């Protein structure tokens, strides 16, 4: 019975931007800029004081280490990555169903620190294509020049007046992570900002 209940609950899940998938697809232009959701990504909040036994244990369990300064990301989007949020605060992101939270709780054991599953806290949107930074610059105050914001860098900033985490995952790809409650606003703003890059309609 428990197994059947789990299967049923999983099938009923709805990601924050699932109802916007068609709008994102229609607003995207291949070869220019595209928007999609990375649904159900595992997100784990981690806190531990650098130099402590808990910090070392979590760094080892993650397999990527923990970033040491603002903007730094340990790991990569293709697997497990850890974003720096503060001197003792980090956000680990991994594929759906990774079981990462449980592994980190076990690794921390009784040491001072914190591990909490935040998978339902933020949506993960991917903006990609050569025009992606031009779209972001319309309402993001951060310096997005490649020399200032290289690949695999992440910061806390704002987009359309909404607090987000912005992570450059590749040369032409970015992850935008707003709080779930701001997902719809963020998606609609991005779609609107992408409009000028749409392919012209052929009569």
């Amino acid at each position: 019975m428990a197994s059947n209940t789990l299967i049923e609950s999983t099938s009923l899940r709805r990601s924050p931007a699932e109802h916007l998938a068609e709008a994102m697809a229609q607003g995207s232009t291949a070869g220019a800029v595209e928007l999609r959701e990375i649904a159900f990504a595992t997100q784990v909040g981690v806190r531990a004081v650098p130099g402590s036994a808990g910090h070392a244990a979590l760094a080892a369990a993650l397999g990527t280490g923990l970033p040491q300064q603002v903007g730094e990301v340990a790991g990569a989007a293709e697997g497990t990555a850890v974003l720096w949020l503060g001197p003792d605060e980090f956000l680990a992101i991994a594929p759906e169903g990774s079981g990462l939270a449980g592994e980190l709780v076990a690794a921390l054991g009784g040491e001072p620190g914190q591990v909490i599953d935040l998978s339902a806290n933020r949506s993960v949107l991917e903006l990609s294509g050569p025009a992606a930074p031009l779209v972001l610059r319309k309402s993001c105050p951060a310096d997005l020049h490649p020399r200032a914001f290289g690949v695999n860098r992440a910061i806390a900033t704002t987009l359309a007046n909404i607090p987000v985490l912005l992570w450059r995952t590749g040369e032409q790809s970015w992850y935008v992570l707003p709080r779930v409650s701001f997902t719809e606003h963020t998606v609609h703003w991005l779609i609107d900002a992408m409009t000028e890059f749409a392919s012209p309609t052929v009569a």
Side-chain angles (χ1 to χ4, degrees):
M1 180 64 70
S3 177
N4 290 339
T5 301
L6 177 61
I7 293 173
E8 182 179 345
S9 298
T10 301
S11 68
L12 293 175
R13 288 190 306 172
R14 296 291 181 268
S15 64
E18 181 176 327
H19 63 297
L20 301 168
E22 184 176 351
M24 288 189 284
Q26 291 179 348
S28 298
T29 300
V33 61
E34 300 179 63
L35 178 64
R36 69 184 183 113
E37 180 187 23
I38 308 296
F40 306 123
T42 297
Q43 301 177 62
V44 184
V46 175
R47 300 201 70 157
V49 175
S52 68
H55 187 280
L58 291 170
L62 284 160
T64 61
L66 288 167
Q68 300 179 22
Q69 58 187 350
V70 61
E72 186 177 343
V73 176
E78 294 75 18
T80 297
V82 188
L83 283 58
W84 189 97
L85 301 183
D88 65 347
E89 184 177 6
F90 315 90
L91 179 67
I93 302 177
E96 176 187 2
S98 67
L100 184 61
E103 294 171 9
L104 294 180
V105 167
L108 184 61
E111 297 294 335
Q114 182 182 66
V115 174
I116 182 167
D117 191 333
L118 296 176
S119 300
N121 188 42
R122 294 181 182 272
S123 57
V124 183
L125 306 171
E126 182 183 51
L127 187 71
S128 61
L134 299 178
V135 171
L136 294 171
R137 283 174 185 151
K138 291 184 178 185
S139 188
C140 179
D143 183 354
L144 304 182
H145 191 283
R147 282 191 297 239
F149 205 135
V151 173
N152 218 28
R153 302 284 291 176
I155 60 169
T157 183
T158 61
L159 184 70
N161 297 318
I162 297 301
V164 299
L165 297 179
L166 183 62
W167 174 17
R168 188 177 183 189
T169 56
E171 289 292 343
Q172 296 186 349
S173 59
W174 305 73
Y175 278 9
V176 181
L177 289 81
R179 302 285 186 186
V180 165
S181 57
F182 293 117
T183 299
E184 187 153 356
H185 171 86
T186 305
V187 168
H188 284 305
W189 184 90
L190 286 169
I191 291 173
D192 184 65
M194 292 160 58
T195 302
E196 71 168 287
F197 303 103
S199 300
T201 302
V202 177

